[in-house]
Structures are given as structure tokens and as C-alpha cells.
Amino acid sequence: MAGRFRWGIVGPGNIARKFGAGVQLSETSEVAVVGSRDLGRAEAFCVEFGGRAVGSYEAVLKAEDVDGVYIATPHHLHAELTIAAAQAGKHVLCEKPCALRSEDASSAIKACQDAGVLFCEAYLYRTHPLTAQVMEVVHSGRLGEIRHIAAEFAFGAADDWQNVRTVLEYGGGGLMDVGVYPVSYAMMVFGGEPERVSYLFKKSDAGFDGWATGSMIFEGGGTVSFGCGIHVQMENRVRIFGTQGMLEVSRPWDCTEGFRVKNHCSDDWEEIEGIRADRFGNEVDVFVRSLDHGFVATMTPDDSLAVMRTLDRLRADGGLVFPGDP
Ligand SMILES: NC(=O)c1ccc[n+]([C@@H]2O[C@H](COP(=O)([O-])OP(=O)(O)OC[C@H]3O[C@@H](n4cnc5c(N)ncnc54)[C@H](OP(=O)(O)O)[C@@H]3O)[C@@H](O)[C@H]2O)c1
């Protein structure tokens, strides 16, 4: 791509600020236009990260000086904003989860394909080189045949916490906010979709999953046990167990540490240094450099749809219902 990629940002909140800092560190991109429901919020964002402020999301999508849009609103707006961005001819990097239901994800991805724009769901760990290092060990056979994965992502907000993550109609609760990480990671390692799933959770007064445990089994017998939640702190690791050895990633989600590997007949762990990269700057550069391929190899639209179908099945098993579900 000639010149710097011009990002439009919608929803300049918590994660968009980290994204803005990443764009500044990237080799390929710049912030062009930032849209908020409150013009003052967009202006404050632009003072820090650059770009031109506008007072609506629509103005970002329509802007001629925007090549692609980063969608950083709460979950429930992701699919409709992806469709609107695609129809405006903009490439889309959409925060996870890309929709509340697989049906909506499918419509959003189809809109991107019809418009000939790139779509990628922003799972940072997928584009980070640390994950490629882990997958290299998995594929090397050093662990033998992979049989089991144990993974968690949870954080311990107070029970009376008020946030977009505690609103059921926005897809609030643990699975859609953080459970998506261990689910998608296990699907990356085992490949394909699980044959069976189960999801047990503590239902909050508002009806969302406060904390939970889930299981999946894949064709060939690979099993997964995962934990997630917004009202409990967990260790937030990924552990991969094979017939020969095991691997542990201590910070799999922000990729800020290396990982370690151990053979079953040894007591000693081998510490493997992780490749360092600014996770947002790296994500941005991987996205922009993927424009020629029509997808981001580390998280394709098919990967997103497979994860969304699995989330549907986990929710159905546990009885986690969002208003508007069919
Ligand atoms: N990839 C990651 O590592 C990562 C980390 C955290 C979050 N996320 C994802 O990013 C998304 C945003 O998370 P966040 O923590 O940045 O959220 P946030 O700060 O609470 O909200 C982001 C922005 O969304 C806009 N918004 C639109 N409708 C809203 C509504 N009804 N209520 C509140 N805000 C609304 C607001 O912008 P304006 O009012 O200014 O328009 C707000 O600043 C989530 O889907 C989450 O899953 C990803």
C-alpha cells in the first residue's frame, strides 16, 4: 500500500486508547478520523493520538480520508458497524467478539466479502509473534500428540461493578468478554470446531455469566477445560499437554512474557524467551500488510465464524440467553 494507512476509530474508549498508542508506534499507519457520540471525547482523543474529531460513528465511516475502521465499541454494536463500514467501502478491524451471535457475524463477514474489503477480528494474541512461537513448538512434535489444554481468562471486578460488561443486552458477562480467548486459543491448537461442549456458570442477578467453567472435546479426542469470568481472578495461563511433554504460557493474552516447556520424564522446565513486539502496533502492521491477501492469516473470517458458532453452542448448553436471541 502506498503511503500510510489511514485509520478511522469508532468508540474512543479504553481499548481504543491502547490502539491509538499502537498506531503511533506502527510502521504502516496513522490515526485519521475519530468518531464519538460526544464530539468533545473524540477531540480529547485526537489531542493525544492525532487525527480529526467527528461527532458520530457515521461520519467516520463516510470520511474520504479513511482507509479502514477500527471498531472499539461494546460488543453489541460490532456486527452492525462492520456492515455499515463495509458498505462504505472501508476495511474493518473489529474488536472481539465480532458479534453476539454467529448469524450476525456471518452477515457482517459477508458484507465485507461483498464489498471486497478486508475483515479481521482483533484477537491481539493471534497476530503476536509469541503465539507463532508457541505454535511452532506444538507443530514440532516436541510435546508429542496434543491431548489436553487448560486455559483461563478472568478478572475479579466487584459484584456491584457497573460497566458495559454487566449489561446483558450488550452481551455482558465472562464468556463474550474474556472466555472467547481460551475458546479461540484451544480451537487454534486443535483445529476445527469441537464435537461437544459444555458450559456451567454462576448467573448474576442481571442474568449474565459472572464466572464459569467450560469444556470442549475435539475430533481425535483433544479435550479442553477453560475458566472465565468478570467477578473472579484466575491465573490466566494457557497450558498445553501432550503425550511427551507440556507447555505453559504465563501471559498468553497480552503476550508480555515468554513461555516454558517440559518433557514428562524431566523435572526441569526450559524457559523460552518470547519475541517482543508492541501488541497493538504489531496488530496494525499485520492487518495493513495483509491487504493483498484479503484476510489476516492468523485470524481468518472462517476462524471468526467457527469461534462464534462455538460460542453459540456453549451459551445454548449453559442456558446463557441474550435479549434478541432467536
Ligand atoms: N483486544 C483486547 O485486548 C480488548 C481489550 C479490552 C476490550 N476489548 C473489546 O473492545 C470493546 C470495547 O471495550 P472497552 O473496554 O474499550 O469499552 P468502553 O471503554 O466501555 O467503551 C468503548 C466506547 O464505546 C462507545 N459506546 C458506544 N455505545 C456505548 C454504550 N451503550 N455504552 C458505553 N459505551 C458505548 C463509547 O464511546 P463514545 O461514547 O465516545 O462514542 C465508549 O468509549 C469490547 O467489545 C471489548 O470486548 C478488547
Side-chain angles (χ1 to χ4, degrees):
M1 145 138 223
R4 292 184 87 69
F5 188 88
R6 300 164 302 175
W7 284 99
I9 297 178
V10 295
N14 159 48
I15 199 66
R17 295 178 56 76
K18 295 180 182 162
F19 182 83
V23 169
Q24 288 181 324
L25 290 171
S26 75
E27 293 171 4
T28 57
S29 301
E30 65 188 24
V31 175
V33 181
V34 178
S36 165
R37 298 172 300 174
D38 172 335
L39 180 61
R41 236 187 334 265
E43 285 171 343
F45 187 98
C46 291
V47 167
E48 249 183 288
F49 303 107
R52 172 168 67 84
V54 293
S56 74
Y57 299 156
E58 200 188 4
V60 177
L61 307 185
K62 295 236 162 97
E64 288 193 1
D65 52 342
V66 163
D67 300 311
V69 176
Y70 173 59
I71 298 172
T73 60
H75 320 330
H76 67 296
L77 298 176
H78 292 176
E80 66 180 67
L81 285 170
T82 296
I83 292 170
Q87 287 172 348
K90 310 299 188 204
H91 300 294
V92 176
L93 178 62
C94 179
E95 267 309 335
K96 37 57 58 180
C98 62
L100 295 192
R101 306 164 192 91
S102 64
E103 200 184 337
D104 299 334
S106 186
S107 306
I109 287 169
K110 184 171 182 309
C112 291
Q113 287 164 343
D114 289 349
V117 298
L118 180 63
F119 170 84
C120 182
E121 193 175 8
Y123 280 100
L124 279 171
Y125 79 85
R126 286 282 183 125
T127 43
H128 197 284
L130 177 78
T131 306
Q133 282 179 285
V134 169
M135 290 303 286
E136 209 174 298
V137 174
V138 164
H139 289 139
S140 73
R142 180 172 172 185
L143 306 176
E145 186 189 325
I146 307 301
R147 294 267 166 97
H148 182 69
I149 295 174
E152 319 89 43
F153 197 174
F155 59 92
D159 288 350
D160 60 357
W161 188 49
Q162 299 291 314
N163 185 272
V164 288
R165 291 162 180 79
T166 61
V167 180
L168 190 66
E169 64 187 298
Y170 296 173
L175 183 65
M176 302 306 274
D177 194 48
V178 279
V180 295
Y181 287 92
V183 169
S184 60
Y185 205 103
M187 291 175 68
M188 172 182 70
V189 173
F190 283 127
E193 295 175 47
E195 282 188 336
R196 278 183 289 144
V197 303
S198 78
Y199 193 61
L200 293 173
F201 66 91
K202 166 71 174 85
K203 193 180 261 192
S204 72
D205 292 345
F208 61 78
D209 49 338
W211 59 93
T213 179
S215 320
M216 305 192 281
I217 183 163
F218 288 76
E219 188 185 351
T223 52
V224 179
S225 106
F226 73 91
C228 63
I230 63 172
H231 290 309
V232 62
Q233 188 64 48
M234 295 185 187
E235 282 200 274
N236 298 350
R237 291 175 299 174
V238 166
R239 287 174 297 151
I240 302 174
F241 302 90
T243 48
Q244 309 290 326
M246 62 179 86
L247 182 155
E248 180 179 292
V249 196
S250 53
R251 309 246 351 175
W253 316 126
D254 66 10
C255 301
T256 51
E257 289 176 5
F259 59 101
R260 59 186 194 158
V261 182
K262 186 166 92 64
N263 190 291
H264 287 319
C265 42
S266 163
D267 289 333
D268 300 323
W269 288 95
E270 181 195 345
E271 302 287 338
I272 298 180
E273 198 176 329
I275 297 172
R276 301 275 164 161
D278 177 76
R279 55 204 170 117
F280 288 92
N282 177 71
E283 177 180 62
V284 160
D285 285 339
V286 169
F287 181 94
V288 173
R289 290 181 179 133
S290 300
L291 279 168
D292 291 341
H293 310 294
F295 61 90
V296 178
T298 50
M299 189 74 198
T300 67
D302 282 347
D303 292 335
S304 291
L305 289 174
V307 169
M308 285 303 313
R309 283 192 293 268
T310 304
L311 296 171
D312 285 352
R313 289 167 63 200
L314 286 160
R315 289 206 295 120
D317 179 80
L320 175 58
V321 179
F322 298 141
D325 277 352

